[in-house]
Amino acid sequence: MQGRKVYSNELKMMICDRICEQGESTSRVATKFAIPLKTVEKWVTAYHKDPKVFQIPDGYFAAQRKAYAHRYDEMSPSEMIQELKRKDNQISYLESVICAYQDRQASLDANRDYEITL
């Protein structure tokens, strides 16, 4: 199985600039650089949301995850159990917040639909 291709943020930024700022065709740029069209479209969407999205250094998030993972290295088994329980509680809380939000949205949508039909 072939691994996932990784593109530099510099390349992503350059391609988004050509498409979004210089007005080049998305499909032509994708073909010219031999990058799948869907991949380029995702980059352009991200760029439209935040033009600075690709200005972070390559490998930044991987380094952050690696550094964050090492914080568990010095924990004893009982400390790890406590940390897992704490995180489990956090997840439960966040799930309840998401459910409440979704219920509220569904209620608002139902009320809006009802008002439209009146």
Side-chain angles (χ1 to χ4, degrees):
M1 189 167 111
Q2 194 174 17
R4 205 171 114 187
K5 179 106 181 184
V6 177
Y7 302 96
S8 73
N9 283 337
E10 184 179 349
L11 176 67
K12 294 174 189 178
M13 190 70 194
M14 187 262 300
I15 285 177
C16 288
D17 181 68
R18 290 176 83 146
I19 294 167
C20 300
E21 307 303 330
Q22 298 175 26
E24 291 189 41
S25 161
T26 305
S27 60
R28 279 198 200 120
V29 171
T31 302
K32 183 176 183 176
F33 288 93
I35 299 171
L37 180 61
K38 284 289 182 195
T39 300
V40 173
E41 288 172 343
K42 287 178 188 176
W43 297 346
V44 169
T45 299
Y47 181 83
H48 279 301
K49 290 180 182 177
D50 178 11
K52 296 179 182 180
V53 69
F54 301 120
Q55 291 180 359
I56 56 171
D58 288 324
Y60 173 80
F61 292 110
Q64 291 292 346
R65 284 192 305 272
K66 188 175 182 179
Y68 189 72
H70 284 296
R71 71 188 185 92
Y72 297 112
D73 292 348
E74 301 299 318
M75 285 186 173
S76 70
S78 63
E79 289 172 324
M80 288 185 106
I81 290 169
Q82 285 301 108
E83 179 68 7
L84 287 172
K85 287 179 181 179
R86 189 182 69 74
K87 291 206 177 273
D88 204 31
N89 286 334
Q90 266 185 326
I91 290 168
S92 294
Y93 169 74
L94 292 172
E95 285 175 337
S96 71
V97 169
I98 291 169
C99 287
Y101 175 79
Q102 289 172 335
D103 289 346
R104 172 101 171 109
Q105 285 301 114
S107 175
L108 291 173
D109 290 345
N111 286 340
R112 183 179 40 89
D113 291 343
Y114 177 74
E115 290 172 3
I116 290 173
T117 59
L118 290 180

